[in-house]
Amino acid sequence: MGDDRRLAAVVALAQGMAAAQSAREAWRAAAVGGCLALGGSFAALSVWERELGRLRVLVNVGRRAEDEEEFPENESYPVHQFAEITEFLHERWAGGGEPDAWVETAEGPAAGRPGYVHQRVAALRRRGRGCCVVAPIVLHGRAWGELYVARPVGERVFERADADFATVLASVVAAGIAQSERLEEVRRLAYTDALTGLANRRAVDSALDEAVERHREEAVVVSLVVCDLNGLKRVNDTHGHAVGDRLLERFGSVLSLCGAMLPGALAARLGGDEFCLLAVGPPADAVVKAAEELCRRAAELELGDGVACGVASTEDPVGPVRSARRLFRLADAAQYRAKAERAAWPVVAGREGPDDPVVRLADEPSREEDGERRRFRGRHSP
């Protein structure tokens, strides 16, 4: 490959990774870009998980074998099977060597070092590949993993020049991964509540919009549990805000635990003492059961006075749910009725017959948020 084509390949790889919107997309862009740039038929990107002592495959692209998935869940290899991970990527490099790529073939060692590794050679033969180039990826001064590109039996074997070019590609991949990790951290901070580690209101709004769209298109059941942690102000006034924060954190853990009863549920803190669970798919009764468990566990917390909990589900008789706003209003109204009546268990919108007061309140056309809550509390307070 000429210098101009190699430069174009490097640019294409960098652009592909820069355009990625998630870590998975970045991994795939790295593997696809490396495969095309090196003229391979298959490529994989793997990460060295030091704490587990394994090399875990993140993505496989190109001509995959029957046992190779694009994004494998459990494809990993003990590091001791690949001596170069510790000897070459760490010890040799830390001792002054460079993290250069090397070539191996189905017949044994080829260009570059460290040379023959039985497990890699066996894998080449088993999957009908004639050779591979392995390029270490170094991130933040430490061995992060590797880019692996292979060619089938019968095609030209990688040469020293290919290994040198793979080293350059690996540095571009490392820069792309670093950028992807920074973007993921920014996204995490943008959609995560700093105190509890749960999702925040922004994350709920986004997920609820998508969920209601799925409900409209596919009739999938969408349920929302909105809850208000009782007694937080008293705890803050009596014990201080540090203790109040611990109560919020503890309740957040309880909410997460109960949310785990509903596959894929999103547990979030909306702000202040308000939290929610968003479930897409599980039946309404399962959501109510999880909400009941939440109420039970919240009542057992050492601090606070339990939780006021409201539930709204598209599976219940609440009328058409065409917007996220309406489902939220239903759950919010149910929660405020629970608050007003000091209910020990969830209030569920739509389960009190055709003239359900929660549904009626949620659909009042002129209600302002604060005003509606005052009217609802005044209407139902003892």
Side-chain angles (χ1 to χ4, degrees):
M1 181 184 291
D3 290 344
D4 289 345
R5 290 181 62 191
R6 285 188 167 175
L7 177 59
V10 170
V11 171
L13 190 156
Q15 290 176 337
M17 295 193 72
Q21 297 298 307
S22 67
R24 272 194 167 196
E25 288 185 14
W27 301 339
R28 190 177 189 283
V32 169
C35 191
L36 292 174
L38 288 162
S41 62
F42 169 85
L45 184 71
S46 303
V47 62
W48 177 15
E49 296 182 329
R50 284 178 171 80
E51 71 279 10
L52 300 176
R54 68 183 187 180
L55 189 68
R56 181 168 65 89
V57 178
L58 300 173
V59 61
N60 294 308
V61 301
R63 197 181 305 164
R64 304 196 305 269
E66 290 185 0
D67 62 339
E68 292 172 324
E69 300 176 2
E70 182 175 21
F71 291 103
E73 293 292 331
N74 300 302
E75 186 181 353
S76 61
Y77 305 93
V79 168
H80 72 266
Q81 293 184 0
F82 301 98
E84 76 274 9
I85 291 295
T86 52
E87 294 177 5
F88 184 73
L89 297 192
H90 179 64
E91 296 171 6
R92 190 190 304 264
W93 181 60
E98 292 297 325
D100 295 331
W102 66 90
V103 175
E104 292 177 3
T105 76
E107 305 303 322
R113 300 176 69 182
Y116 183 86
V117 177
H118 171 72
Q119 285 78 9
R120 289 194 192 276
V121 172
L124 286 171
R125 293 172 179 170
R126 185 173 68 252
R127 289 166 174 157
R129 293 166 187 152
C131 62
C132 67
V133 59
V134 183
I137 297 171
V138 177
L139 191 63
H140 308 311
R142 302 183 69 184
W144 182 89
E146 67 175 39
L147 174 66
Y148 172 101
V149 180
R151 286 175 177 165
V153 172
E155 290 197 9
R156 182 179 64 84
V157 172
F158 288 115
E159 300 172 350
R160 176 68 261 174
D162 296 310
D164 291 341
F165 183 43
T167 299
V168 174
L169 293 174
S171 67
V172 176
V173 170
I177 290 171
Q179 174 183 317
S180 176
E181 289 182 349
R182 286 193 295 269
L183 289 174
E184 286 293 317
E185 179 64 11
V186 169
R187 292 190 186 100
R188 187 190 68 79
L189 292 173
Y191 289 94
T192 302
D193 176 64
L195 177 64
T196 63
L198 300 177
N200 62 13
R201 178 61 184 264
R202 183 182 291 108
V204 172
D205 287 344
S206 176
L208 187 55
D209 283 339
E210 292 180 6
V212 171
E213 186 66 22
R214 283 191 60 194
H215 167 69
R216 290 164 55 189
E217 294 180 355
E218 308 168 25
V220 67
V221 176
V222 180
S223 303
L224 187 65
V225 180
V226 173
C227 40
D228 185 287
L229 186 57
N230 296 326
L232 178 63
K233 184 178 185 304
R234 178 182 58 78
V235 171
N236 284 334
D237 292 344
T238 305
H239 302 286
H241 286 272
V243 176
D245 285 350
R246 287 203 297 273
L247 173 59
L248 289 168
E249 290 180 277
R250 182 72 185 98
F251 180 72
S253 297
V254 170
L255 181 67
S256 179
L257 181 67
C258 294
M261 298 170 60
L262 306 167
L266 179 70
R269 181 186 178 202
L270 298 174
D273 55 5
E274 290 195 326
F275 294 76
C276 79
L277 277 176
L278 172 61
V280 182
D285 286 345
V287 176
V288 173
K289 183 177 180 180
E292 290 173 347
E293 180 67 8
L294 177 64
C295 289
R296 185 186 70 78
R297 288 178 177 270
E300 294 175 353
L301 293 176
E302 293 181 7
L303 297 170
D305 299 314
V307 65
C309 193
V311 182
S313 175
T314 60
E315 194 176 47
D316 281 321
V318 295
V321 176
R322 298 188 177 92
S323 69
R325 175 182 172 83
R326 183 166 190 268
L327 188 65
F328 192 91
R329 284 168 58 139
L330 286 162
D332 187 62
Q335 185 263 118
Y336 272 87
R337 182 178 185 188
K339 187 86 168 180
E341 296 183 347
R342 300 176 184 173
W345 300 105
V347 170
V348 185
R351 295 199 174 184
E352 292 190 28
D355 196 32
D356 187 291
V358 172
V359 176
R360 188 173 65 249
L361 177 71
D363 290 339
E364 286 182 359
S366 62
R367 74 201 263 270
E368 294 292 335
E369 185 171 316
D370 289 337
E372 83 195 12
R373 291 175 175 178
R374 283 195 294 271
R375 290 199 305 275
F376 200 93
R377 288 183 175 186
R379 191 177 301 168
H380 294 282
S381 294

